Amino acid sequence: MKPCNAEPMCVRHAAFTLVSVSDLKVLLERKQIADRVAEIGKQITRDFSGESVIFVGVLKGAAIFLSDLARQVDLDATFDFIGVSSYGNRPSPTQELQSGWDSTGEVRLTKDVDHSMRDKNVILVEDILDTGLTLTYLRRILMAHQPRSFKIAALLDKPSRRKQAIEADYVGFKIPDEFVVGYGLDYAERYRNLPDICIFPRN
């Protein structure tokens, strides 16, 4: 793996330290991501040929994936967004790095969809599927809207972290249990704008 291709950055905070971008290792390069997103777009176009779909992006991490994916789908498509958080205070960046923000299993809705999903072909778009706790919760919320069909598109999948038996219908890449940033994924709200997906060191 090569260093992440972006300008150097190193910022220290009282509770955590941001790693210089030049010290991050690339897990997935931008071209790999673009090629795979295009393939998923073609698959969705085939699966829903002649129908319309609504993409529901999970804020904030899925925003870049959703925008790129939607442009690869040759269908009548609309967007909506949904937001979730953990109950209580969000873990510190250091705790999140070790365990993930939803590791307690206590997930709450912070933003519901703005439009009716009833009788619609709904594709929930998520940046990463790991424990499955968040997507299990969101599937229950969205299925209550009685969509015509419901699918999940996840850019990344960490099967080794799964706590709930849930799988995505469209998966970009299966990855090892590494903390990753870039292409919408963050650490302490940083690194989302990196064009590659990079490994952030846990230590």
Side-chain angles (χ1 to χ4, degrees):
M1 292 181 290
K2 66 180 184 179
C4 208
N5 184 18
E7 291 298 317
M9 173 179 69
C10 185
V11 182
R12 290 188 178 274
H13 296 266
F16 60 94
T17 301
L18 298 177
V19 175
S20 170
V21 171
S22 60
D23 291 333
L24 299 176
K25 301 298 182 184
V26 174
L27 178 64
L28 296 165
E29 295 181 354
R30 66 195 77 183
K31 186 178 186 309
Q32 289 176 271
I33 299 168
D35 289 348
R36 183 63 187 129
V37 171
E39 290 172 359
I40 296 173
K42 289 177 182 177
Q43 186 179 353
I44 292 173
T45 300
R46 290 193 300 269
D47 290 350
F48 291 94
S49 177
E51 301 185 59
S52 60
V53 299
I54 180 165
F55 292 103
V56 178
V58 182
L59 296 170
K60 305 174 187 172
I64 295 176
F65 176 39
L66 185 152
S67 64
D68 285 349
L69 177 62
R71 286 179 288 179
Q72 298 295 332
V73 172
D74 188 17
L75 298 170
D76 176 33
T78 56
F79 297 173
D80 210 328
F81 292 92
I82 197 164
V84 290
S85 181
S86 57
Y87 275 107
N89 295 324
R90 178 169 176 164
S92 71
T94 301
Q95 292 170 328
E96 187 172 342
L97 197 60
Q98 298 298 327
S99 304
W101 74 267
D102 66 350
S103 58
T104 65
E106 299 179 84
V107 180
R108 66 184 177 90
L109 194 68
T110 58
K111 182 199 177 300
D112 204 350
V113 291
D114 295 323
H115 303 97
S116 171
M117 302 287 118
R118 187 179 179 86
D119 200 34
K120 302 285 181 63
N121 294 313
V122 175
I123 302 176
L124 180 64
V125 181
E126 177 64 299
D127 54 0
I128 187 165
L129 169 56
D130 50 13
T131 64
L133 297 169
T134 300
L135 286 182
T136 298
Y137 173 81
L138 289 176
R139 179 175 62 183
R140 178 170 59 83
I141 293 290
L142 291 173
M143 288 301 292
H145 287 256
Q146 298 182 309
R148 182 185 310 169
S149 67
F150 177 79
K151 303 287 185 183
I152 296 172
L155 177 64
L156 304 176
D157 184 10
K158 283 188 195 176
S160 63
R161 295 252 310 155
R162 200 80 82 250
K163 293 182 179 180
Q164 292 285 341
I166 186 169
E167 300 296 332
D169 302 280
Y170 308 101
V171 175
F173 304 91
K174 289 191 176 183
I175 64 170
D177 185 15
E178 300 281 1
F179 194 95
V180 290
V181 296
Y183 198 74
L185 294 107
D186 77 299
Y187 172 64
E189 292 297 332
R190 305 310 204 284
Y191 310 105
R192 290 191 192 274
N193 62 321
L194 298 181
D196 305 314
I197 294 176
C198 304
I199 296 174
F200 191 95
R202 283 195 169 102
N203 298 321

